[in-house]
Amino acid sequence: LAKTTQPISMDSYEGQEVNITCSHNNIATNDYITWYQQFPSQGPRFIIQGYKTKVTNEVASLFIPADRKSSTLSLPRVSLSDTAVYYCLVGGAGSARQLTFGSGTQLTVLP
Amino acid sequence: DSGVTQTPKHLITATGQRVTLRCSPRSGDLSVYWYQQSLDQGLQFLIQYYNGEERAKGNILERFSAQQFPDLHSELNLSSLELGDSALYFCASSLYKAPTDATGELFFGEGSRLTVL
């Protein structure tokens, strides 16, 4: 079972780049790393997914080192609406193992 | 809108009672997952079904059970309810089951908020 560790909270200011790191020391060969965003009383929403190196989409980048024991979600130029909990999830959606979310990182963007 | 429908949105009941939460996955999705989120807690994986069969089991209590029906909707049954069962229960769905699936995005519903008094 791939356990993940994230910082509990982070503060940032509008317009800054935010990097949130997730540690997953016992990631399995077939595991992907996926990040989700959750607003209060809503279901999590997919942000980005990767297996190795770097992945970029229109909202974020995901950096994964060669050993894959950690990953970093990078949010460029955050705004107040990016205030949310960010979860790192390790596994494969089709895997027969648990899809375990980390404890999440509460990101607060300040004006 | 994720395409995943959960009912009821809110449910208030008493200790000792039994409730059923229902989830309709996105059209075409074969996997259904159930998660529990208590106040200020993270998402706890309960159970996963794929095409009607149990595929993975997490920290699901013996008082809880689930199933996925031939039309792929799923139900989570919670019995002998306790105060500590009060939580948001999320259902998610995804299409793939292959362990090397590269597009394993989970689509979450809006959740069912259960309050046990």
Side-chain angles (χ1 to χ4, degrees), chain A residues 60-86:
Chain A
S61 294
L62 179 58
F63 298 91
I64 305 168
D67 66 6
R68 303 199 331 119
K69 293 186 176 182
S70 66
S71 58
T72 299
L73 173 72
S74 180
L75 304 172
R77 296 182 298 281
V78 294
S79 64
L80 296 178
S81 63
D82 292 318
T83 294
V85 178
Y86 292 82

mmCIF file with all atom_site columns, all heavy atoms in Angstrom, chain A residues 60-86:
data_model
loop_
_atom_site.group_PDB
_atom_site.id
_atom_site.type_symbol
_atom_site.label_atom_id
_atom_site.label_alt_id
_atom_site.label_comp_id
_atom_site.label_asym_id
_atom_site.label_entity_id
_atom_site.label_seq_id
_atom_site.pdbx_PDB_ins_code
_atom_site.Cartn_x
_atom_site.Cartn_y
_atom_site.Cartn_z
_atom_site.occupancy
_atom_site.B_iso_or_equiv
_atom_site.pdbx_formal_charge
_atom_site.auth_seq_id
_atom_site.auth_comp_id
_atom_site.auth_asym_id
_atom_site.auth_atom_id
_atom_site.pdbx_PDB_model_num
ATOM 1   N N   . ALA A 1 60 ? -1.494  23.089 -14.395 1.00 0.00 ? 60 ALA A N   1
ATOM 2   C CA  . ALA A 1 60 ? -0.435  22.729 -13.458 1.00 0.00 ? 60 ALA A CA  1
ATOM 3   C C   . ALA A 1 60 ? 0.669   21.956 -14.155 1.00 0.00 ? 60 ALA A C   1
ATOM 4   O O   . ALA A 1 60 ? 0.538   21.534 -15.303 1.00 0.00 ? 60 ALA A O   1
ATOM 5   C CB  . ALA A 1 60 ? -1.024  21.879 -12.332 1.00 0.00 ? 60 ALA A CB  1
ATOM 6   N N   . SER A 1 61 ? 1.761   21.795 -13.416 1.00 0.00 ? 61 SER A N   1
ATOM 7   C CA  . SER A 1 61 ? 2.845   20.919 -13.839 1.00 0.00 ? 61 SER A CA  1
ATOM 8   C C   . SER A 1 61 ? 3.114   19.917 -12.723 1.00 0.00 ? 61 SER A C   1
ATOM 9   O O   . SER A 1 61 ? 2.895   20.217 -11.541 1.00 0.00 ? 61 SER A O   1
ATOM 10  C CB  . SER A 1 61 ? 4.122   21.719 -14.130 1.00 0.00 ? 61 SER A CB  1
ATOM 11  O OG  . SER A 1 61 ? 3.954   22.565 -15.238 1.00 0.00 ? 61 SER A OG  1
ATOM 12  N N   . LEU A 1 62 ? 3.580   18.766 -13.109 1.00 0.00 ? 62 LEU A N   1
ATOM 13  C CA  . LEU A 1 62 ? 3.901   17.712 -12.154 1.00 0.00 ? 62 LEU A CA  1
ATOM 14  C C   . LEU A 1 62 ? 5.325   17.249 -12.428 1.00 0.00 ? 62 LEU A C   1
ATOM 15  O O   . LEU A 1 62 ? 5.646   16.868 -13.558 1.00 0.00 ? 62 LEU A O   1
ATOM 16  C CB  . LEU A 1 62 ? 2.924   16.550 -12.304 1.00 0.00 ? 62 LEU A CB  1
ATOM 17  C CG  . LEU A 1 62 ? 3.127   15.336 -11.407 1.00 0.00 ? 62 LEU A CG  1
ATOM 18  C CD1 . LEU A 1 62 ? 3.071   15.725 -9.931  1.00 0.00 ? 62 LEU A CD1 1
ATOM 19  C CD2 . LEU A 1 62 ? 2.091   14.267 -11.720 1.00 0.00 ? 62 LEU A CD2 1
ATOM 20  N N   . PHE A 1 63 ? 6.147   17.333 -11.392 1.00 0.00 ? 63 PHE A N   1
ATOM 21  C CA  . PHE A 1 63 ? 7.538   16.940 -11.514 1.00 0.00 ? 63 PHE A CA  1
ATOM 22  C C   . PHE A 1 63 ? 7.756   15.656 -10.713 1.00 0.00 ? 63 PHE A C   1
ATOM 23  O O   . PHE A 1 63 ? 7.440   15.605 -9.522  1.00 0.00 ? 63 PHE A O   1
ATOM 24  C CB  . PHE A 1 63 ? 8.461   18.043 -10.982 1.00 0.00 ? 63 PHE A CB  1
ATOM 25  C CG  . PHE A 1 63 ? 8.336   19.324 -11.736 1.00 0.00 ? 63 PHE A CG  1
ATOM 26  C CD1 . PHE A 1 63 ? 7.427   20.301 -11.315 1.00 0.00 ? 63 PHE A CD1 1
ATOM 27  C CD2 . PHE A 1 63 ? 9.106   19.569 -12.860 1.00 0.00 ? 63 PHE A CD2 1
ATOM 28  C CE1 . PHE A 1 63 ? 7.308   21.490 -12.010 1.00 0.00 ? 63 PHE A CE1 1
ATOM 29  C CE2 . PHE A 1 63 ? 8.988   20.755 -13.548 1.00 0.00 ? 63 PHE A CE2 1
ATOM 30  C CZ  . PHE A 1 63 ? 8.089   21.721 -13.133 1.00 0.00 ? 63 PHE A CZ  1
ATOM 31  N N   . ILE A 1 64 ? 8.331   14.661 -11.365 1.00 0.00 ? 64 ILE A N   1
ATOM 32  C CA  . ILE A 1 64 ? 8.570   13.372 -10.712 1.00 0.00 ? 64 ILE A CA  1
ATOM 33  C C   . ILE A 1 64 ? 10.029  13.001 -10.942 1.00 0.00 ? 64 ILE A C   1
ATOM 34  O O   . ILE A 1 64 ? 10.454  12.839 -12.082 1.00 0.00 ? 64 ILE A O   1
ATOM 35  C CB  . ILE A 1 64 ? 7.655   12.278 -11.299 1.00 0.00 ? 64 ILE A CB  1
ATOM 36  C CG1 . ILE A 1 64 ? 6.185   12.717 -11.198 1.00 0.00 ? 64 ILE A CG1 1
ATOM 37  C CG2 . ILE A 1 64 ? 7.858   10.957 -10.567 1.00 0.00 ? 64 ILE A CG2 1
ATOM 38  C CD1 . ILE A 1 64 ? 5.239   11.841 -11.994 1.00 0.00 ? 64 ILE A CD1 1
ATOM 39  N N   . PRO A 1 65 ? 10.820  12.859 -9.869  1.00 0.00 ? 65 PRO A N   1
ATOM 40  C CA  . PRO A 1 65 ? 12.233  12.501 -10.040 1.00 0.00 ? 65 PRO A CA  1
ATOM 41  C C   . PRO A 1 65 ? 12.375  11.055 -10.496 1.00 0.00 ? 65 PRO A C   1
ATOM 42  O O   . PRO A 1 65 ? 11.407  10.293 -10.491 1.00 0.00 ? 65 PRO A O   1
ATOM 43  C CB  . PRO A 1 65 ? 12.803  12.710 -8.638  1.00 0.00 ? 65 PRO A CB  1
ATOM 44  C CG  . PRO A 1 65 ? 11.636  12.505 -7.725  1.00 0.00 ? 65 PRO A CG  1
ATOM 45  C CD  . PRO A 1 65 ? 10.442  13.031 -8.466  1.00 0.00 ? 65 PRO A CD  1
ATOM 46  N N   . ALA A 1 66 ? 13.588  10.702 -10.860 1.00 0.00 ? 66 ALA A N   1
ATOM 47  C CA  . ALA A 1 66 ? 13.833  9.386  -11.431 1.00 0.00 ? 66 ALA A CA  1
ATOM 48  C C   . ALA A 1 66 ? 13.461  8.248  -10.479 1.00 0.00 ? 66 ALA A C   1
ATOM 49  O O   . ALA A 1 66 ? 12.965  7.209  -10.905 1.00 0.00 ? 66 ALA A O   1
ATOM 50  C CB  . ALA A 1 66 ? 15.303  9.261  -11.834 1.00 0.00 ? 66 ALA A CB  1
ATOM 51  N N   . ASP A 1 67 ? 13.685  8.441  -9.173  1.00 0.00 ? 67 ASP A N   1
ATOM 52  C CA  . ASP A 1 67 ? 13.364  7.360  -8.239  1.00 0.00 ? 67 ASP A CA  1
ATOM 53  C C   . ASP A 1 67 ? 11.870  7.280  -7.922  1.00 0.00 ? 67 ASP A C   1
ATOM 54  O O   . ASP A 1 67 ? 11.425  6.333  -7.267  1.00 0.00 ? 67 ASP A O   1
ATOM 55  C CB  . ASP A 1 67 ? 14.179  7.476  -6.957  1.00 0.00 ? 67 ASP A CB  1
ATOM 56  C CG  . ASP A 1 67 ? 13.824  8.709  -6.141  1.00 0.00 ? 67 ASP A CG  1
ATOM 57  O OD1 . ASP A 1 67 ? 12.867  9.439  -6.484  1.00 0.00 ? 67 ASP A OD1 1
ATOM 58  O OD2 . ASP A 1 67 ? 14.508  8.974  -5.137  1.00 0.00 ? 67 ASP A OD2 1
ATOM 59  N N   . ARG A 1 68 ? 11.112  8.246  -8.342  1.00 0.00 ? 68 ARG A N   1
ATOM 60  C CA  . ARG A 1 68 ? 9.651   8.300  -8.193  1.00 0.00 ? 68 ARG A CA  1
ATOM 61  C C   . ARG A 1 68 ? 9.175   8.226  -6.748  1.00 0.00 ? 68 ARG A C   1
ATOM 62  O O   . ARG A 1 68 ? 8.003   7.952  -6.488  1.00 0.00 ? 68 ARG A O   1
ATOM 63  C CB  . ARG A 1 68 ? 8.994   7.179  -9.003  1.00 0.00 ? 68 ARG A CB  1
ATOM 64  C CG  . ARG A 1 68 ? 9.344   7.191  -10.454 1.00 0.00 ? 68 ARG A CG  1
ATOM 65  C CD  . ARG A 1 68 ? 8.446   6.432  -11.389 1.00 0.00 ? 68 ARG A CD  1
ATOM 66  N NE  . ARG A 1 68 ? 7.761   5.289  -10.841 1.00 0.00 ? 68 ARG A NE  1
ATOM 67  C CZ  . ARG A 1 68 ? 6.445   5.174  -10.773 1.00 0.00 ? 68 ARG A CZ  1
ATOM 68  N NH1 . ARG A 1 68 ? 5.666   6.139  -11.211 1.00 0.00 ? 68 ARG A NH1 1
ATOM 69  N NH2 . ARG A 1 68 ? 5.889   4.085  -10.273 1.00 0.00 ? 68 ARG A NH2 1
ATOM 70  N N   . LYS A 1 69 ? 10.036  8.513  -5.815  1.00 0.00 ? 69 LYS A N   1
ATOM 71  C CA  . LYS A 1 69 ? 9.635   8.431  -4.405  1.00 0.00 ? 69 LYS A CA  1
ATOM 72  C C   . LYS A 1 69 ? 8.996   9.708  -3.907  1.00 0.00 ? 69 LYS A C   1
ATOM 73  O O   . LYS A 1 69 ? 8.600   9.806  -2.740  1.00 0.00 ? 69 LYS A O   1
ATOM 74  C CB  . LYS A 1 69 ? 10.836  8.046  -3.548  1.00 0.00 ? 69 LYS A CB  1
ATOM 75  C CG  . LYS A 1 69 ? 11.325  6.632  -3.833  1.00 0.00 ? 69 LYS A CG  1
ATOM 76  C CD  . LYS A 1 69 ? 12.410  6.204  -2.882  1.00 0.00 ? 69 LYS A CD  1
ATOM 77  C CE  . LYS A 1 69 ? 12.790  4.754  -3.148  1.00 0.00 ? 69 LYS A CE  1
ATOM 78  N NZ  . LYS A 1 69 ? 13.820  4.251  -2.214  1.00 0.00 ? 69 LYS A NZ  1
ATOM 79  N N   . SER A 1 70 ? 8.922   10.681 -4.768  1.00 0.00 ? 70 SER A N   1
ATOM 80  C CA  . SER A 1 70 ? 8.227   11.906 -4.417  1.00 0.00 ? 70 SER A CA  1
ATOM 81  C C   . SER A 1 70 ? 7.700   12.539 -5.699  1.00 0.00 ? 70 SER A C   1
ATOM 82  O O   . SER A 1 70 ? 8.070   12.118 -6.805  1.00 0.00 ? 70 SER A O   1
ATOM 83  C CB  . SER A 1 70 ? 9.147   12.889 -3.689  1.00 0.00 ? 70 SER A CB  1
ATOM 84  O OG  . SER A 1 70 ? 10.173  13.326 -4.573  1.00 0.00 ? 70 SER A OG  1
ATOM 85  N N   . SER A 1 71 ? 6.856   13.505 -5.540  1.00 0.00 ? 71 SER A N   1
ATOM 86  C CA  . SER A 1 71 ? 6.383   14.265 -6.699  1.00 0.00 ? 71 SER A CA  1
ATOM 87  C C   . SER A 1 71 ? 6.048   15.673 -6.227  1.00 0.00 ? 71 SER A C   1
ATOM 88  O O   . SER A 1 71 ? 5.750   15.887 -5.041  1.00 0.00 ? 71 SER A O   1
ATOM 89  C CB  . SER A 1 71 ? 5.162   13.609 -7.343  1.00 0.00 ? 71 SER A CB  1
ATOM 90  O OG  . SER A 1 71 ? 4.100   13.479 -6.415  1.00 0.00 ? 71 SER A OG  1
ATOM 91  N N   . THR A 1 72 ? 6.102   16.608 -7.153  1.00 0.00 ? 72 THR A N   1
ATOM 92  C CA  . THR A 1 72 ? 5.818   18.003 -6.813  1.00 0.00 ? 72 THR A CA  1
ATOM 93  C C   . THR A 1 72 ? 4.799   18.570 -7.776  1.00 0.00 ? 72 THR A C   1
ATOM 94  O O   . THR A 1 72 ? 5.005   18.550 -8.995  1.00 0.00 ? 72 THR A O   1
ATOM 95  C CB  . THR A 1 72 ? 7.097   18.857 -6.852  1.00 0.00 ? 72 THR A CB  1
ATOM 96  O OG1 . THR A 1 72 ? 8.032   18.347 -5.887  1.00 0.00 ? 72 THR A OG1 1
ATOM 97  C CG2 . THR A 1 72 ? 6.783   20.308 -6.520  1.00 0.00 ? 72 THR A CG2 1
ATOM 98  N N   . LEU A 1 73 ? 3.719   19.040 -7.215  1.00 0.00 ? 73 LEU A N   1
ATOM 99  C CA  . LEU A 1 73 ? 2.691   19.730 -7.991  1.00 0.00 ? 73 LEU A CA  1
ATOM 100 C C   . LEU A 1 73 ? 3.050   21.204 -8.010  1.00 0.00 ? 73 LEU A C   1
ATOM 101 O O   . LEU A 1 73 ? 3.268   21.802 -6.954  1.00 0.00 ? 73 LEU A O   1
ATOM 102 C CB  . LEU A 1 73 ? 1.320   19.541 -7.349  1.00 0.00 ? 73 LEU A CB  1
ATOM 103 C CG  . LEU A 1 73 ? 0.178   20.345 -7.955  1.00 0.00 ? 73 LEU A CG  1
ATOM 104 C CD1 . LEU A 1 73 ? -0.190  19.785 -9.316  1.00 0.00 ? 73 LEU A CD1 1
ATOM 105 C CD2 . LEU A 1 73 ? -1.050  20.345 -7.032  1.00 0.00 ? 73 LEU A CD2 1
ATOM 106 N N   . SER A 1 74 ? 3.097   21.780 -9.191  1.00 0.00 ? 74 SER A N   1
ATOM 107 C CA  . SER A 1 74 ? 3.423   23.193 -9.321  1.00 0.00 ? 74 SER A CA  1
ATOM 108 C C   . SER A 1 74 ? 2.239   23.931 -9.918  1.00 0.00 ? 74 SER A C   1
ATOM 109 O O   . SER A 1 74 ? 1.761   23.592 -11.007 1.00 0.00 ? 74 SER A O   1
ATOM 110 C CB  . SER A 1 74 ? 4.667   23.374 -10.198 1.00 0.00 ? 74 SER A CB  1
ATOM 111 O OG  . SER A 1 74 ? 5.000   24.736 -10.327 1.00 0.00 ? 74 SER A OG  1
ATOM 112 N N   . LEU A 1 75 ? 1.771   24.939 -9.187  1.00 0.00 ? 75 LEU A N   1
ATOM 113 C CA  . LEU A 1 75 ? 0.661   25.772 -9.650  1.00 0.00 ? 75 LEU A CA  1
ATOM 114 C C   . LEU A 1 75 ? 1.211   27.150 -9.970  1.00 0.00 ? 75 LEU A C   1
ATOM 115 O O   . LEU A 1 75 ? 1.682   27.861 -9.080  1.00 0.00 ? 75 LEU A O   1
ATOM 116 C CB  . LEU A 1 75 ? -0.416  25.875 -8.565  1.00 0.00 ? 75 LEU A CB  1
ATOM 117 C CG  . LEU A 1 75 ? -0.987  24.565 -8.045  1.00 0.00 ? 75 LEU A CG  1
ATOM 118 C CD1 . LEU A 1 75 ? -1.895  24.815 -6.845  1.00 0.00 ? 75 LEU A CD1 1
ATOM 119 C CD2 . LEU A 1 75 ? -1.765  23.855 -9.140  1.00 0.00 ? 75 LEU A CD2 1
ATOM 120 N N   . PRO A 1 76 ? 1.168   27.555 -11.226 1.00 0.00 ? 76 PRO A N   1
ATOM 121 C CA  . PRO A 1 76 ? 1.744   28.856 -11.593 1.00 0.00 ? 76 PRO A CA  1
ATOM 122 C C   . PRO A 1 76 ? 0.772   29.996 -11.289 1.00 0.00 ? 76 PRO A C   1
ATOM 123 O O   . PRO A 1 76 ? -0.431  29.866 -11.509 1.00 0.00 ? 76 PRO A O   1
ATOM 124 C CB  . PRO A 1 76 ? 1.965   28.719 -13.099 1.00 0.00 ? 76 PRO A CB  1
ATOM 125 C CG  . PRO A 1 76 ? 0.901   27.763 -13.533 1.00 0.00 ? 76 PRO A CG  1
ATOM 126 C CD  . PRO A 1 76 ? 0.674   26.805 -12.386 1.00 0.00 ? 76 PRO A CD  1
ATOM 127 N N   . ARG A 1 77 ? 1.267   31.047 -10.747 1.00 0.00 ? 77 ARG A N   1
ATOM 128 C CA  . ARG A 1 77 ? 0.478   32.275 -10.571 1.00 0.00 ? 77 ARG A CA  1
ATOM 129 C C   . ARG A 1 77 ? -0.900  31.989 -9.962  1.00 0.00 ? 77 ARG A C   1
ATOM 130 O O   . ARG A 1 77 ? -1.945  32.148 -10.605 1.00 0.00 ? 77 ARG A O   1
ATOM 131 C CB  . ARG A 1 77 ? 0.322   33.002 -11.897 1.00 0.00 ? 77 ARG A CB  1
ATOM 132 C CG  . ARG A 1 77 ? 1.650   33.495 -12.473 1.00 0.00 ? 77 ARG A CG  1
ATOM 133 C CD  . ARG A 1 77 ? 1.430   34.253 -13.770 1.00 0.00 ? 77 ARG A CD  1
ATOM 134 N NE  . ARG A 1 77 ? 0.835   33.419 -14.804 1.00 0.00 ? 77 ARG A NE  1
ATOM 135 C CZ  . ARG A 1 77 ? 1.489   32.547 -15.538 1.00 0.00 ? 77 ARG A CZ  1
ATOM 136 N NH1 . ARG A 1 77 ? 2.784   32.381 -15.354 1.00 0.00 ? 77 ARG A NH1 1
ATOM 137 N NH2 . ARG A 1 77 ? 0.865   31.842 -16.467 1.00 0.00 ? 77 ARG A NH2 1
ATOM 138 N N   . VAL A 1 78 ? -0.904  31.576 -8.720  1.00 0.00 ? 78 VAL A N   1
ATOM 139 C CA  . VAL A 1 78 ? -2.159  31.198 -8.068  1.00 0.00 ? 78 VAL A CA  1
ATOM 140 C C   . VAL A 1 78 ? -3.049  32.423 -7.849  1.00 0.00 ? 78 VAL A C   1
ATOM 141 O O   . VAL A 1 78 ? -2.590  33.556 -7.733  1.00 0.00 ? 78 VAL A O   1
ATOM 142 C CB  . VAL A 1 78 ? -1.906  30.486 -6.727  1.00 0.00 ? 78 VAL A CB  1
ATOM 143 C CG1 . VAL A 1 78 ? -1.224  29.144 -6.969  1.00 0.00 ? 78 VAL A CG1 1
ATOM 144 C CG2 . VAL A 1 78 ? -1.096  31.359 -5.780  1.00 0.00 ? 78 VAL A CG2 1
ATOM 145 N N   . SER A 1 79 ? -4.347  32.138 -7.782  1.00 0.00 ? 79 SER A N   1
ATOM 146 C CA  . SER A 1 79 ? -5.330  33.170 -7.471  1.00 0.00 ? 79 SER A CA  1
ATOM 147 C C   . SER A 1 79 ? -6.112  32.736 -6.233  1.00 0.00 ? 79 SER A C   1
ATOM 148 O O   . SER A 1 79 ? -5.955  31.615 -5.750  1.00 0.00 ? 79 SER A O   1
ATOM 149 C CB  . SER A 1 79 ? -6.284  33.369 -8.651  1.00 0.00 ? 79 SER A CB  1
ATOM 150 O OG  . SER A 1 79 ? -7.028  32.173 -8.868  1.00 0.00 ? 79 SER A OG  1
ATOM 151 N N   . LEU A 1 80 ? -6.950  33.634 -5.741  1.00 0.00 ? 80 LEU A N   1
ATOM 152 C CA  . LEU A 1 80 ? -7.723  33.335 -4.531  1.00 0.00 ? 80 LEU A CA  1
ATOM 153 C C   . LEU A 1 80 ? -8.555  32.064 -4.712  1.00 0.00 ? 80 LEU A C   1
ATOM 154 O O   . LEU A 1 80 ? -8.775  31.300 -3.761  1.00 0.00 ? 80 LEU A O   1
ATOM 155 C CB  . LEU A 1 80 ? -8.634  34.507 -4.182  1.00 0.00 ? 80 LEU A CB  1
ATOM 156 C CG  . LEU A 1 80 ? -7.938  35.817 -3.813  1.00 0.00 ? 80 LEU A CG  1
ATOM 157 C CD1 . LEU A 1 80 ? -8.968  36.914 -3.547  1.00 0.00 ? 80 LEU A CD1 1
ATOM 158 C CD2 . LEU A 1 80 ? -7.032  35.640 -2.600  1.00 0.00 ? 80 LEU A CD2 1
ATOM 159 N N   . SER A 1 81 ? -9.025  31.826 -5.916  1.00 0.00 ? 81 SER A N   1
ATOM 160 C CA  . SER A 1 81 ? -9.879  30.669 -6.187  1.00 0.00 ? 81 SER A CA  1
ATOM 161 C C   . SER A 1 81 ? -9.116  29.346 -6.158  1.00 0.00 ? 81 SER A C   1
ATOM 162 O O   . SER A 1 81 ? -9.742  28.282 -6.232  1.00 0.00 ? 81 SER A O   1
ATOM 163 C CB  . SER A 1 81 ? -10.578 30.824 -7.546  1.00 0.00 ? 81 SER A CB  1
ATOM 164 O OG  . SER A 1 81 ? -9.621  30.867 -8.580  1.00 0.00 ? 81 SER A OG  1
ATOM 165 N N   . ASP A 1 82 ? -7.820  29.411 -6.030  1.00 0.00 ? 82 ASP A N   1
ATOM 166 C CA  . ASP A 1 82 ? -7.028  28.189 -5.905  1.00 0.00 ? 82 ASP A CA  1
ATOM 167 C C   . ASP A 1 82 ? -6.949  27.721 -4.457  1.00 0.00 ? 82 ASP A C   1
ATOM 168 O O   . ASP A 1 82 ? -6.360  26.675 -4.169  1.00 0.00 ? 82 ASP A O   1
ATOM 169 C CB  . ASP A 1 82 ? -5.611  28.399 -6.451  1.00 0.00 ? 82 ASP A CB  1
ATOM 170 C CG  . ASP A 1 82 ? -5.599  28.602 -7.954  1.00 0.00 ? 82 ASP A CG  1
ATOM 171 O OD1 . ASP A 1 82 ? -6.349  27.875 -8.646  1.00 0.00 ? 82 ASP A OD1 1
ATOM 172 O OD2 . ASP A 1 82 ? -4.851  29.480 -8.436  1.00 0.00 ? 82 ASP A OD2 1
ATOM 173 N N   . THR A 1 83 ? -7.514  28.483 -3.548  1.00 0.00 ? 83 THR A N   1
ATOM 174 C CA  . THR A 1 83 ? -7.573  28.061 -2.144  1.00 0.00 ? 83 THR A CA  1
ATOM 175 C C   . THR A 1 83 ? -8.414  26.796 -2.050  1.00 0.00 ? 83 THR A C   1
ATOM 176 O O   . THR A 1 83 ? -9.594  26.791 -2.395  1.00 0.00 ? 83 THR A O   1
ATOM 177 C CB  . THR A 1 83 ? -8.185  29.169 -1.270  1.00 0.00 ? 83 THR A CB  1
ATOM 178 O OG1 . THR A 1 83 ? -7.305  30.283 -1.254  1.00 0.00 ? 83 THR A OG1 1
ATOM 179 C CG2 . THR A 1 83 ? -8.400  28.668 0.161   1.00 0.00 ? 83 THR A CG2 1
ATOM 180 N N   . ALA A 1 84 ? -7.788  25.718 -1.614  1.00 0.00 ? 84 ALA A N   1
ATOM 181 C CA  . ALA A 1 84 ? -8.436  24.404 -1.611  1.00 0.00 ? 84 ALA A CA  1
ATOM 182 C C   . ALA A 1 84 ? -7.498  23.417 -0.930  1.00 0.00 ? 84 ALA A C   1
ATOM 183 O O   . ALA A 1 84 ? -6.381  23.753 -0.551  1.00 0.00 ? 84 ALA A O   1
ATOM 184 C CB  . ALA A 1 84 ? -8.728  23.941 -3.039  1.00 0.00 ? 84 ALA A CB  1
ATOM 185 N N   . VAL A 1 85 ? -7.970  22.194 -0.794  1.00 0.00 ? 85 VAL A N   1
ATOM 186 C CA  . VAL A 1 85 ? -7.120  21.103 -0.320  1.00 0.00 ? 85 VAL A CA  1
ATOM 187 C C   . VAL A 1 85 ? -6.639  20.332 -1.543  1.00 0.00 ? 85 VAL A C   1
ATOM 188 O O   . VAL A 1 85 ? -7.424  20.021 -2.437  1.00 0.00 ? 85 VAL A O   1
ATOM 189 C CB  . VAL A 1 85 ? -7.867  20.166 0.639   1.00 0.00 ? 85 VAL A CB  1
ATOM 190 C CG1 . VAL A 1 85 ? -6.968  19.015 1.074   1.00 0.00 ? 85 VAL A CG1 1
ATOM 191 C CG2 . VAL A 1 85 ? -8.365  20.938 1.849   1.00 0.00 ? 85 VAL A CG2 1
ATOM 192 N N   . TYR A 1 86 ? -5.355  20.053 -1.565  1.00 0.00 ? 86 TYR A N   1
ATOM 193 C CA  . TYR A 1 86 ? -4.744  19.329 -2.684  1.00 0.00 ? 86 TYR A CA  1
ATOM 194 C C   . TYR A 1 86 ? -4.278  17.967 -2.191  1.00 0.00 ? 86 TYR A C   1
ATOM 195 O O   . TYR A 1 86 ? -3.545  17.860 -1.205  1.00 0.00 ? 86 TYR A O   1
ATOM 196 C CB  . TYR A 1 86 ? -3.590  20.142 -3.264  1.00 0.00 ? 86 TYR A CB  1
ATOM 197 C CG  . TYR A 1 86 ? -4.086  21.383 -3.951  1.00 0.00 ? 86 TYR A CG  1
ATOM 198 C CD1 . TYR A 1 86 ? -4.385  22.530 -3.212  1.00 0.00 ? 86 TYR A CD1 1
ATOM 199 C CD2 . TYR A 1 86 ? -4.312  21.402 -5.324  1.00 0.00 ? 86 TYR A CD2 1
ATOM 200 C CE1 . TYR A 1 86 ? -4.895  23.661 -3.826  1.00 0.00 ? 86 TYR A CE1 1
ATOM 201 C CE2 . TYR A 1 86 ? -4.812  22.529 -5.954  1.00 0.00 ? 86 TYR A CE2 1
ATOM 202 C CZ  . TYR A 1 86 ? -5.105  23.650 -5.200  1.00 0.00 ? 86 TYR A CZ  1
ATOM 203 O OH  . TYR A 1 86 ? -5.611  24.767 -5.812  1.00 0.00 ? 86 TYR A OH  1
#
